[in-house]
Amino acid sequence: MDSFSDRVYKATKTIPRGYVTTYKLLAQSISTKAYRAVGQSLSKNPHPLTIPCHRVIRSDRRVGGYLSKKNSAEKLHLLKQEGVAFDERGRVKTECIIRPKKLLE
DNA sequence: CGGTTGACCAAGT
DNA sequence: GACTTGGCCAACC
């Protein structure tokens, strides 16, 4: 299936451990401007353990949410486990943010 | 088909 | 620095 959501998951899976990406970059990599729709698809999260949704953050370098807007603490913990660095404000360091590879079809 | 919502974004105040 | 506004696009009702 090559629906919008499927592209989101595919791109998300390409993120290497220890790095993160943003909703915007993720949206760009799948050639869409719907950053919000990206987050929406992840919120549905059809494959909770197959897709590293915790590696997707906001463009402000804030972690954003994870499984609803309140559970950001767990997301932060997971990212720390993967080796992602934060500063005191809970912002991801810019150097850890990468751009996912474009999925060409 | 129209209106609301959302793990957002950029610009303005 | 914070909060507000308008905009974006897909999913849902």
Side-chain angles (χ1 to χ4, degrees):
Chain A
M1 202 171 135
D2 53 305
S3 56
F4 174 83
S5 315
D6 207 41
R7 288 187 240 169
V8 176
Y9 312 138
K10 221 184 234 176
T12 306
K13 283 192 247 175
T14 66
I15 306 171
R17 182 179 168 282
Y19 285 91
V20 293
T21 192
T22 71
Y23 291 102
K24 182 154 78 171
L25 291 173
L26 193 51
Q28 284 177 358
S29 73
I30 62 178
S31 305
T32 183
K33 300 132 203 154
Y35 344 106
R36 308 186 67 167
V38 171
Q40 229 182 21
S41 292
L42 291 178
S43 75
K44 310 286 173 158
N45 210 342
H47 313 292
L49 301 177
T50 316
I51 305 168
C53 336
H54 55 273
R55 291 183 193 156
V56 187
I57 62 171
R58 305 191 3 172
S59 301
D60 311 17
R61 295 192 287 275
R62 279 216 172 275
V63 281
Y66 183 57
L67 311 178
S68 172
K69 286 188 169 178
K70 304 220 148 187
N71 209 334
S72 47
E74 175 145 350
K75 183 171 184 176
L76 203 115
H77 185 77
L78 283 168
L79 291 173
K80 280 184 183 174
Q81 268 190 151
E82 306 239 328
V84 180
F86 297 87
D87 41 16
E88 302 78 24
R89 284 192 196 158
R91 301 217 171 202
V92 180
K93 293 201 172 181
T94 318
E95 48 200 31
C96 299
I97 304 178
I98 59 170
R99 187 167 65 76
K101 197 174 183 242
K102 248 192 179 180
L103 315 162
L104 302 178
E105 284 296 321

